[in-house]
Amino acid sequence: MKELIEKINKLKKRKKAVILAHCYQNVEIDEVADFVGDSLYLSQMAEKTDAEIIVFAGVYFMAQTAKILNPGKKVILPNLKAGCDMADMINLAQLREFKQKYPNIPTVCYINSTAEVKAECDICCTSSNAVKIVKSLNAPKVLFLPDKNLGRWVETQLQNVEVITYNGYCPIHNDLSAEEIKETKNKYPNAIVLAHPECQEKFLEEADFVGSTTGIMNYVKNRNEKEFIIATEKGVTDRLKRDYPGKQFYSVYDKPAICKSMKLISLMDIYNALNTETPEITVDEKISKEAFKCINRMLEVSANGAAK
Ligand code: 13P
Ligand code: SF4
């Protein structure tokens, strides 16, 4: 493995490439990644990079977002089978139907959505800025898609905003039940519960902190407590165990939550992708221009304040 890591790092330098990795990826990917983090951080890094090639160790919508932000650059997803079940829960026809049912209401899409869907939404958000984005619209009602759980959580964090949610969800987080977390808390009474907002409302009521993957990792970094129940995908728990050997991390019901798509990319896939500069992500120009507005609006609000 050490040899392969060295080969990738050399090739990356020679090709002026950058490797962005989501923190649900297999943990060894960090050895070759330039940036590791949550969806917002990776979009910000994709927007800023001056590399000629972006290799995305993540899922399809993430690489697609990087391409939309960098139409002139080569964006590569080392395994094209790495999709997102939640993003696939809403297509353009379903989005139009949803909007027709509730006309003239601003539409917020989670970044876990396709370029076609983003192109017909007003603004995008990630789990770490969803509250700020919805608030910035200054609207009494918003449509939120595809994640009903994130939308519901946003509503609980804001006063006087009705969040009308589409019926999508992340199967990995949605499967974590309130009963399971209650039992896990009984088993580890000193542990603090850190949960991702893609979990169901009843589950989140049992959490001490709700945040994005990076939010969860920063919480552990900044606290003195020694025991944590991590309610998100295994990649986060694996990184926490690696970085804080003196602390204890438990999974809900002692059963690690795994996103199979996120685990599809291997170091060998990254080497082959860099070597052959494939599989390349392309986005239709017209869709890309519209989706860019939706993503860029989010990046502007994230950096400043109100939506323009
Ligand atoms: P964040 O990266 O915003 O924490 O979201 C997690 C996720 O499910 C990405 O697919
Ligand atoms: Fe999609 Fe859920 Fe996997 Fe994230 S964890 S990529 S939301 S299926």
Side-chain angles (χ1 to χ4, degrees), residues 24 59 84-86 112 170-173 198 259 262:
Y24 290 164
V59 289
C84 166
D85 287 350
M86 167 157 39
N112 300 35
C170 163
I172 290 94
H173 290 88
E198 288 174 13
C259 173
M262 280 283 186

Side-chain angles (χ1 to χ4, degrees), residues 22-24 37-40 42 59 61-62 84 86 110-112 126-128 170 173 196-198 211-215 232 259 262:
H22 191 270
C23 40
Y24 290 164
D38 68 4
S39 309
L40 178 63
L42 296 179
V59 289
F61 76 82
M62 296 180 174
C84 166
M86 167 157 39
Y110 193 21
I111 198 160
N112 300 35
T126 73
S127 65
S128 63
C170 163
H173 290 88
H196 196 278
E198 288 174 13
S212 74
T213 47
T214 296
T232 190
C259 173
M262 280 283 186

Side-chain angles (χ1 to χ4, degrees), residues 131 164 191 212 243 292 297 304:
V131 174
I164 303 166
S212 74
D243 296 342
F292 176 84
R297 210 167 167 211
N304 309 310

Side-chain angles (χ1 to χ4, degrees), residues 171-200:
I172 290 94
H173 290 88
N174 197 64
D175 266 7
L176 303 174
S177 75
E179 288 66 39
E180 284 176 339
I181 188 62
K182 278 181 193 156
E183 277 193 42
T184 316
K185 278 166 76 169
N186 284 339
K187 188 168 176 193
Y188 306 111
N190 297 323
I192 294 190
V193 180
L194 311 181
H196 196 278
E198 288 174 13
C199 297
Q200 295 191 49

Side-chain angles (χ1 to χ4, degrees), residues 22 38-45 47 61 65 69 107-113 118 122-138 142 144-145 147 150-151 153-155 157-158 161 163 195-198 209-216 218 293-307:
H22 191 270
D38 68 4
S39 309
L40 178 63
Y41 177 68
L42 296 179
S43 321
Q44 288 164 334
M45 293 306 107
E47 191 202 19
F61 76 82
T65 302
L69 290 168
T107 310
V108 181
C109 64
Y110 193 21
I111 198 160
N112 300 35
S113 54
K118 288 186 178 83
D122 295 302
I123 192 164
C124 184
C125 75
T126 73
S127 65
S128 63
N129 63 17
V131 174
K132 186 174 183 179
I133 296 294
V134 171
K135 198 172 169 194
S136 77
L137 294 170
N138 239 328
V142 299
F144 194 97
L145 59 105
D147 191 1
L150 178 61
W153 181 74
V154 168
E155 190 178 62
Q157 302 304 299
L158 293 170
V161 184
V163 179
H196 196 278
E198 288 174 13
F209 171 79
V210 178
S212 74
T213 47
T214 296
I216 290 174
N218 284 339
K293 291 182 202 160
C294 174
I295 300 163
N296 195 46
R297 210 167 167 211
M298 166 189 80
L299 293 173
E300 281 178 2
V301 173
S302 239
N304 309 310

